[in-house]
Amino acid sequence: MTARATSSATSTTSSPPPPARFAAYDGRTWKEIAHLLANLPIGVAGFVYVVVTLAAGCGLAVTVVGLPLLAGALLGARLLGRAERARARKLLGLRIDEPSPMPKQRGHGFFSWLWSSLKDPVGWRTMLYSFMRLPWGVVTFTVTLTGLFVFWPVLPYIVRGLTNADRAMARGLLSPSDELERRIVELESDRGVVVDTAAADLRRIERDLHDGAQARLVALAMGLGLAKEKLLEGQADDTVAAMVDEAHGEVKLALQELRDLARGIHPAVLTDRGLDAALSSVASRCTVPVKVTADLPARPAAAIEGIAYFTVSELLQNVSKHSGARTASVDVWRSDQRLLIQVWDDGRGGAGLDGGTGMAGLADRLGAVDGLFVIESPEGGPTTITAELPWRDREQGQSQSQGQGHGQEQVARGSRGPRG
């Protein structure tokens, strides 16, 4: 079971046509002949469209209208590709899935739309297809028309060969890219997970501050205010001393809650001493004995390190609350360009993504950074949970963080699932 649900847009084609028969002009053959003869006028129209729009767009690129004109031409090329897929479906029996539509750029402005249109791979591949159709259309039109009058007995074989080349060209340039389409779907889903996680973390921090430290500080202010009034009234008795002592206790509790909140955002020990020391600190707070083994030749990027820390922290909380285990272990190591984490316990087992223990949240958040999350937990135990993260060197992560601001920190905090 992995963190990412793979979704892809696939190109499907119909079954291959039957072999051509000598001097047999059936309905399929006549459709293929019509397709080959139509290649020339359609190729001329497509070639003219591509040459004129590219020349105008590139020639006027130094002005304010060149790039928008080119972006509009690429959008128009998508319509040409749709018409060509329909023609191939009607005359060649070739079914090709439609590519994903251009993503809507709501609220991102004109320049965001312009940039996404200019780098549209579907539009550029359709432009290339339309450009190539003119020389190919001349060949197919000439050979097919000549064959109808000169070598018509073997024309079905020639037509089948030419249309097979047409089918290959359409599949190669008009089909959606499986990997690209899958990646687009995954990135759109991951972006939603990261945004939702960041919003949930902000709400959690606000709630913890409002219900915890803020409430205690309000009580502290009220207590000190009453003590001040009594002192001003000259009532320096045991009541004032008790009130000051109570206020001192509230200060210590508020400080402890603020420390816990700061540790939940990003622990200082992780920044100062790295993943090994931070995981040992988490393991010491677990209700069962935990053996921690970290075999890392160097420290990963701060964002990856934070994700690993909060993943282990959440899993050990589940061990304390739900597993009924006597012992547990945490192993962290690097394998090629991946950081692997394995948490084992000898508890009752039966853990799953739908158990209400935050596993589904962890799986989604690891998936948002191209990670994997695998659970092996048969009834009766033991439970082994393996998490896999992409490895990035710390220097690389620091250089990226300078350009991305706080984005990576939010992703790192977003790796935590809901508590308990």
Side-chain angles (χ1 to χ4, degrees):
M1 187 179 302
T2 63
R4 186 183 302 282
T6 303
S7 173
S8 62
T10 59
S11 291
T12 58
T13 60
S14 59
S15 58
R21 300 190 301 275
F22 178 77
Y25 287 83
D26 55 7
R28 181 184 291 270
T29 302
W30 282 113
K31 286 183 178 181
E32 292 176 342
I33 291 174
H35 178 86
L36 295 175
L37 292 176
N39 277 347
L40 180 58
I42 293 176
V44 171
F47 184 86
V48 171
Y49 176 84
V50 171
V51 171
V52 171
T53 56
L54 284 181
C58 295
L60 297 174
V62 295
T63 68
V64 295
V65 298
L67 293 181
L69 179 61
L70 187 56
L74 290 171
L75 293 178
R78 277 180 165 258
L79 299 179
L80 293 179
R82 182 183 303 173
E84 282 294 277
R85 283 186 290 271
R87 185 167 74 102
R89 183 166 55 249
K90 183 70 174 179
L91 298 179
L92 299 182
L94 179 67
R95 299 189 177 275
I96 302 176
D97 287 345
E98 295 292 330
S100 297
M102 287 287 296
K104 296 181 179 180
Q105 303 290 331
R106 296 180 179 176
H108 293 280
F110 170 76
F111 290 102
S112 179
W113 168 85
L114 179 63
W115 175 244
S116 62
S117 299
L118 289 176
K119 64 179 183 178
D120 177 26
V122 175
W124 284 111
R125 283 191 284 115
T126 307
M127 283 280 204
L128 177 60
Y129 178 85
S130 300
F131 183 83
M132 296 169 54
R133 298 304 289 176
L134 179 57
W136 177 247
V138 171
V139 172
T140 59
F141 182 85
T142 303
V143 171
T144 305
L145 188 61
T146 304
L148 285 173
F149 297 99
V150 178
F151 42 85
W152 59 266
V154 295
L155 184 59
Y157 294 101
I158 299 174
V159 167
R160 184 56 47 81
L162 294 175
T163 52
N164 283 340
D166 255 324
R167 290 183 178 94
M169 193 181 304
R171 290 191 191 102
L173 294 176
L174 297 182
S175 297
S177 172
D178 291 346
E179 182 64 22
L180 178 61
E181 294 289 325
R182 182 187 67 82
R183 189 60 178 160
I184 288 174
V185 172
E186 289 178 354
L187 290 176
E188 289 178 348
S189 175
D190 293 346
R191 180 180 61 182
V193 170
V194 171
V195 171
D196 292 343
T197 299
D201 279 346
L202 289 176
R203 290 194 299 269
R204 179 186 60 81
I205 294 171
E206 180 184 10
R207 184 179 63 250
D208 290 346
L209 286 172
H210 182 271
D211 297 341
Q214 180 178 343
R216 293 194 180 279
L217 291 175
V218 170
L220 169 64
M222 293 177 61
L224 290 177
L226 292 174
K228 179 181 177 180
E229 290 180 0
K230 290 185 176 293
L231 287 174
L232 292 175
E233 294 172 358
Q235 300 179 11
D237 53 10
D238 294 339
T239 304
V240 176
M243 295 174 66
V244 172
D245 184 65
E246 182 180 355
H248 183 253
E250 291 289 339
V251 169
K252 293 192 290 184
L253 291 176
L255 288 174
Q256 182 60 42
E257 289 182 355
L258 289 173
R259 290 193 192 99
D260 294 339
L261 182 60
R263 186 185 298 116
I265 297 174
H266 195 82
V269 65
L270 180 63
T271 303
D272 297 338
R273 300 176 57 190
L275 198 56
D276 190 0
L279 294 184
S280 298
S281 176
V282 172
S284 66
R285 297 194 297 270
C286 187
T287 58
V288 301
V290 180
K291 179 182 178 182
V292 178
T293 304
D295 183 13
L296 298 176
R299 293 182 64 176
I304 301 300
E305 199 173 56
I307 294 172
Y309 171 84
F310 287 114
T311 299
V312 173
S313 177
E314 178 66 26
L315 292 176
L316 289 183
Q317 285 186 39
N318 287 335
V319 170
S320 298
K321 296 179 180 179
H322 307 293
S323 70
R326 294 187 300 274
T327 59
S329 65
V330 176
D331 294 287
V332 182
W333 71 98
R334 177 182 178 179
S335 177
D336 294 330
Q337 294 301 311
R338 308 293 284 183
L339 175 66
L340 287 93
I341 304 166
Q342 193 169 82
V343 178
W344 174 91
D345 69 76
D346 60 355
R348 63 177 65 94
L353 294 179
D354 55 352
T357 56
M359 296 292 190
L362 279 177
D364 290 340
R365 288 157 175 79
L366 286 172
V369 291
D370 285 338
L372 296 176
F373 191 77
V374 181
I375 301 176
E376 297 178 8
S377 183
E379 292 293 339
T383 296
T384 302
I385 298 177
T386 304
E388 184 177 330
L389 291 166
W391 178 276
R392 292 207 312 271
D393 293 330
R394 197 164 188 83
E395 294 77 9
Q396 177 185 1
Q398 290 174 350
S399 63
Q400 290 180 354
S401 65
Q402 292 175 357
Q404 295 177 352
H406 300 291
Q408 287 184 346
E409 183 180 354
Q410 290 180 350
V411 173
R413 296 200 304 266
S415 65
R416 285 167 292 154
R419 295 184 180 273

